[in-house]
Amino acid sequence: IYEPLILWNPVSGGEAAPWLATDWAYSDDLMTLTMNLRDDVTWNDGEPFTADDVAFTIGLFQQFPELDRSSMLSFVESAEATSPTQVVFHLSQVYTQADTIIGMLNPVPEHIWSEIDDPVTFLNENPVATGPFSIIQRFEDQVYELGANPTYWQEGKPQVSCLRYPAYPGNEQANLALLNGTLDWAGNFVPDIDVTFVAADPEHNHYFFWPGGATVQLYANTTKEPFGDVNLRRAMSAAIDYESVANIGM
């Protein structure tokens, strides 16, 4: 629904892809970060997206710190729109990861959010956003549907008119729907996926394992004995049958 300034793609090694921002650069003293924005983006109500919206969003964080989910205020002092397509972030300290965190900012439209008395508790039932699927068509306990944004800035996209998300009480029901062909995509655990899913329709049933992290892991509370002993943790790791976990569990 909402889009970032920069898209960081962990699948390609964390490569930065310009999104709402086209390019960015630090000042020589690393105390300002300047971002240039696209000039062809509109909110889904037809109003233009500008640098004022980005600066306003930072100001909203300052007024309502509860909205600052990425702790940008710990290193961002202010944001200034120097033109409709350029915003300058003034930093309170040198922080070379500022472009990464700021790049993940999802700007909100000033012409909407400036009129909201309490944005912290605002339900935002009909969001005004720039994303490809930002029209709420249906929102219920068991299903919600996001319609395509008719003013989306990427030509030819989105390629489908609606995303429909059904809700299931657990993996068993979701897997049954997946095997019955009523779902196009699912992200839940599928046991013995080659046998239970792929073999049912090898031409169409495929899967992809996310390379960015593991879903099977142990967290040891190292402040409590004996888990503070690194040798015990090494022994725990050595005792796990990883091959069985991979072949049977995954």
Side-chain angles (χ1 to χ4, degrees):
I1 295 179
Y2 291 92
E3 295 184 294
L5 299 172
I6 308 169
L7 193 66
W8 302 94
N9 190 345
V11 177
S12 58
E15 179 182 350
W19 212 255
L20 295 180
T22 58
D23 57 79
W24 50 94
Y26 286 98
S27 59
D28 291 340
D29 62 1
L30 301 180
M31 291 300 291
T32 63
L33 175 67
T34 300
M35 286 191 176
N36 294 308
L37 308 178
R38 299 185 62 91
D39 60 4
D40 57 351
V41 179
T42 61
W43 300 99
N44 60 15
D45 63 356
E47 291 291 320
F49 162 76
T50 71
D52 286 330
D53 296 309
V54 179
F56 168 79
T57 303
I58 296 297
L60 202 62
F61 291 173
Q62 293 171 323
Q63 189 176 0
F64 300 95
E66 300 96 323
L67 301 176
D68 181 22
R69 296 180 299 175
S70 299
S71 298
M72 290 188 195
L73 298 184
S74 64
F75 60 89
V76 175
E77 193 170 80
S78 64
E80 174 189 8
T82 54
S83 80
T85 58
Q86 187 177 83
V87 59
V88 178
F89 297 90
H90 299 276
L91 308 184
S92 58
Q93 60 177 302
V94 172
Y95 183 44
T96 55
Q97 293 298 310
D99 58 314
T100 302
I101 306 300
I102 293 174
M104 291 187 284
L105 175 69
N106 298 127
V108 296
E110 180 179 11
H111 68 282
I112 299 295
W113 287 72
S114 61
E115 303 295 324
I116 299 169
D117 293 331
D118 186 0
V120 176
T121 60
F122 177 48
L123 295 181
N124 200 16
E125 295 176 341
N126 293 291
V128 174
T130 66
F133 294 97
S134 51
I135 308 298
I136 307 298
Q137 295 182 340
R138 185 179 177 188
F139 197 89
E140 302 170 0
D141 289 342
Q142 296 301 313
V143 65
Y144 63 89
E145 296 178 355
L146 301 179
N149 178 0
T151 66
Y152 192 53
W153 55 274
Q154 293 196 44
E155 186 176 356
K157 296 180 180 179
Q159 293 172 307
V160 295
S161 62
C162 176
L163 293 181
R164 183 176 186 270
Y165 290 85
Y168 297 98
N171 271 3
E172 185 175 341
Q173 294 86 347
N175 284 337
L176 182 61
L178 184 66
L179 294 174
N180 288 338
T182 59
L183 300 178
D184 295 308
W185 177 89
N188 51 279
F189 173 68
V190 181
D192 202 359
I193 191 169
D194 285 306
V195 174
T196 60
F197 178 63
V198 177
D201 187 356
E203 184 180 353
H204 299 102
N205 291 0
H206 310 285
Y207 60 86
F208 170 75
F209 285 138
W210 164 243
T215 56
V216 178
Q217 49 202 307
L218 298 177
Y219 286 96
N221 185 349
T222 58
T223 66
K224 292 186 176 183
E225 296 304 326
F227 302 108
D229 186 341
V230 66
N231 290 316
L232 172 74
R233 299 198 302 272
R234 287 171 176 160
M236 290 169 60
S237 177
I240 297 172
D241 183 354
Y242 290 100
E243 186 173 354
S244 294
V245 171
N247 292 338
I248 299 175
M250 299 306 296

